[in-house]
Amino acid sequence: PNCLKIAPGELSSASSFRARSMLVINDKEISFVVFEGFREEVPGISLSRMAEFAAKTLNAKSAINLSEGRSSNIVWSDGNNMYTISDDT
């Protein structure tokens, strides 16, 4: 969107389906969650649906939207190999 057309306080991409990441805290654990959205068959998630997922599925007491788009990624290791979610997968 054209930034000059965005009203103060408006979230220009909140309703867009994108890759997103968030930190979720509930009574038992802290979770780092990444929603893919890099491929045509995986369209991503909107900010409101991500918040609903945090509340209903993870019983979130708090959640922080970390990132959206290509910067939403996760890397993990099994001790021998490193894995990542990316647009190449």
Side-chain angles (χ1 to χ4, degrees), residues 8-71:
E10 179 181 358
L11 298 173
S12 66
S13 63
S15 61
S16 300
F17 283 78
R18 300 170 172 252
R20 296 183 187 271
S21 58
M22 68 176 166
L23 184 70
V24 178
I25 302 168
N26 65 25
D27 289 333
K28 297 180 182 179
E29 60 192 4
I30 298 172
S31 302
F32 179 72
V33 181
V34 175
F35 293 92
E36 285 188 87
F38 302 117
R39 296 176 281 147
E40 191 173 310
E41 65 271 15
V42 184
I45 193 165
S46 68
L47 193 58
S48 61
R49 287 193 181 173
M50 187 173 75
E52 183 178 334
F53 175 84
K56 291 183 178 180
T57 305
L58 301 175
N59 298 315
K61 297 295 180 194
S62 298
I64 301 169
N65 178 38
L66 298 174
S67 187
E68 66 176 51
R70 295 202 182 278
S71 61

Side-chain angles (χ1 to χ4, degrees), residues 75-84:
V75 178
W76 69 97
S77 173
D78 63 8
N80 297 311
N81 300 296
M82 189 174 298
Y83 304 94
T84 184

